[in-house]
Amino acid sequence: MSEARALYTLWLREIKRFLRDRVRVAVSFIQPLLWLVVFAAGFGARLVIPGIDYPQYLFPGIIGQTLLFTAMFMGISVIWDKEFGFMKEVLVSPVSRFTIFMGKMLGDSTAAMIQGLIVFAFGFILGIPFDPGSLIVALPIMLLITIGLVSIGLIIASFMGSLENFGAIQTFINLPLFFLSGSLFPISGAGTPEWLQIAARFNPLTYGVDALRTVILGSAWTPLNPLYINIGVLCLFDVAMIAVGTWAFSRMK
């Protein structure tokens, strides 16, 4: 089997697995809708963001949150594959570990992107002000966010032997990344603790959410960093995670 064919096969398998899981697909519709409606209604009157209303501010953050939670959860497929023996068969095949990792990572990233697009659709349905054309520019940024986060999930899962352990560690990593990204509230400006601003700088999702707000909200949003810096950090993060992920898969037996 050629490397390209193996990569395509693994990618397609992950997509089919996602689409056949009707419960997960249903949740992918419900969860972001709850955040956009309930959270925006509850905190919209309490959080004042200069130049934009809170639903506008929250919208790109929920896209980032959806990508984060979906991408990290996708690592669970590695544990399932271990338990059912599929991973062992793949690892002994004449295919490089890099190709195996990339096939699973790209498949899971595609599934996460589908859920990110669902959030975009909800934003339009709910009447959140944004330029629909910004979706075209946002898609590459969403992919950059997803690649690194899916890689983290796969790396963690490659060292885990049970679903329970993976779930605990996933939650331990997910929540700090989410709350320190600025998805729900500003992480800069007057009144923001210095430790929070410093911690956010070491969070890759911070740069992803800031980039999404820059392209979706346009001039209404004052970015934390120039767009090229946000994209540059995401690219470096992705390359690092792919390298670590390839190494982690090379250790699996």
Side-chain angles (χ1 to χ4, degrees), residues 40-149:
F43 285 81
R46 294 169 176 80
L47 288 175
V48 178
I49 313 295
I52 55 176
D53 57 26
Y54 186 66
Q56 278 183 288
Y57 177 86
L58 183 65
F59 176 55
I62 298 305
I63 295 175
Q65 179 250 17
T66 301
L67 297 176
L68 168 65
F69 286 6
T70 305
M72 293 286 283
F73 179 80
M74 289 298 182
I76 204 170
S77 66
V78 173
I79 300 177
W80 286 336
D81 289 344
K82 286 181 182 179
E83 291 186 354
F84 291 102
F86 176 79
M87 182 58 69
K88 189 173 184 178
E89 294 180 5
V90 173
L91 293 176
V92 299
S93 65
V95 178
S96 69
R97 300 299 174 92
F98 172 75
T99 298
I100 296 172
F101 177 81
M102 290 297 294
K104 291 190 70 65
M105 183 272 291
L106 291 175
D108 291 341
S109 296
T110 304
M113 289 283 291
I114 292 173
Q115 297 203 220
L117 290 174
I118 291 172
V119 180
F120 254 102
F122 279 136
F124 181 78
I125 293 171
L126 294 174
I128 297 175
F130 73 96
D131 180 10
S134 63
L135 172 62
I136 299 175
V137 184
L139 280 175
I141 298 173
M142 291 166 62
L143 181 60
L144 289 176
I145 296 171
T146 304
I147 287 174
L149 296 176

Side-chain angles (χ1 to χ4, degrees), residues 5-249:
R5 183 179 177 186
L7 188 148
Y8 170 75
T9 301
L10 290 169
W11 171 83
L12 184 61
R13 181 175 182 268
E14 297 302 316
I15 297 300
K16 288 183 176 180
R17 170 186 279 173
F18 170 75
L19 294 178
R20 288 172 179 170
D21 191 342
R22 296 181 181 179
V23 174
R24 192 193 306 181
V25 173
V27 170
S28 69
F29 279 87
I30 297 172
Q31 188 179 46
L33 183 62
L34 288 175
W35 281 95
L36 287 172
V37 174
V38 178
F39 205 89
F43 285 81
R46 294 169 176 80
L47 288 175
V48 178
I49 313 295
I52 55 176
D53 57 26
Y54 186 66
Q56 278 183 288
Y57 177 86
L58 183 65
F59 176 55
I62 298 305
I63 295 175
Q65 179 250 17
T66 301
L67 297 176
L68 168 65
F69 286 6
T70 305
M72 293 286 283
F73 179 80
M74 289 298 182
I76 204 170
S77 66
V78 173
I79 300 177
W80 286 336
D81 289 344
K82 286 181 182 179
E83 291 186 354
F84 291 102
F86 176 79
M87 182 58 69
K88 189 173 184 178
E89 294 180 5
V90 173
L91 293 176
V92 299
S93 65
V95 178
S96 69
R97 300 299 174 92
F98 172 75
T99 298
I100 296 172
F101 177 81
M102 290 297 294
K104 291 190 70 65
M105 183 272 291
L106 291 175
D108 291 341
S109 296
T110 304
M113 289 283 291
I114 292 173
Q115 297 203 220
L117 290 174
I118 291 172
V119 180
F120 254 102
F122 279 136
F124 181 78
I125 293 171
L126 294 174
I128 297 175
F130 73 96
D131 180 10
S134 63
L135 172 62
I136 299 175
V137 184
L139 280 175
I141 298 173
M142 291 166 62
L143 181 60
L144 289 176
I145 296 171
T146 304
I147 287 174
L149 296 176
V150 167
S151 297
I152 293 178
L154 295 176
I155 291 166
I156 295 171
S158 69
F159 291 99
M160 296 292 103
S162 69
L163 299 176
E164 293 78 8
N165 290 340
F166 175 79
I169 294 180
Q170 175 202 13
T171 302
F172 178 76
I173 296 176
N174 269 353
L175 293 182
L177 286 176
F178 176 44
F179 289 119
L180 293 174
S181 66
S183 295
L184 301 180
F185 51 82
I187 52 172
S188 64
T192 305
E194 185 176 356
W195 67 266
L196 181 60
Q197 298 184 47
I198 294 173
R201 291 290 178 181
F202 289 93
N203 182 1
L205 189 58
T206 300
Y207 299 89
V209 171
D210 189 43
L212 286 175
R213 286 200 174 105
T214 300
V215 300
I216 294 173
L217 302 182
S219 59
W221 170 248
T222 303
L224 303 175
N225 306 292
L227 184 60
Y228 71 89
I229 291 181
N230 289 327
I231 292 177
V233 171
L234 290 174
C235 288
L236 291 174
F237 174 66
D238 290 350
V239 170
M241 291 300 100
I242 290 173
V244 175
T246 303
W247 168 79
F249 270 46

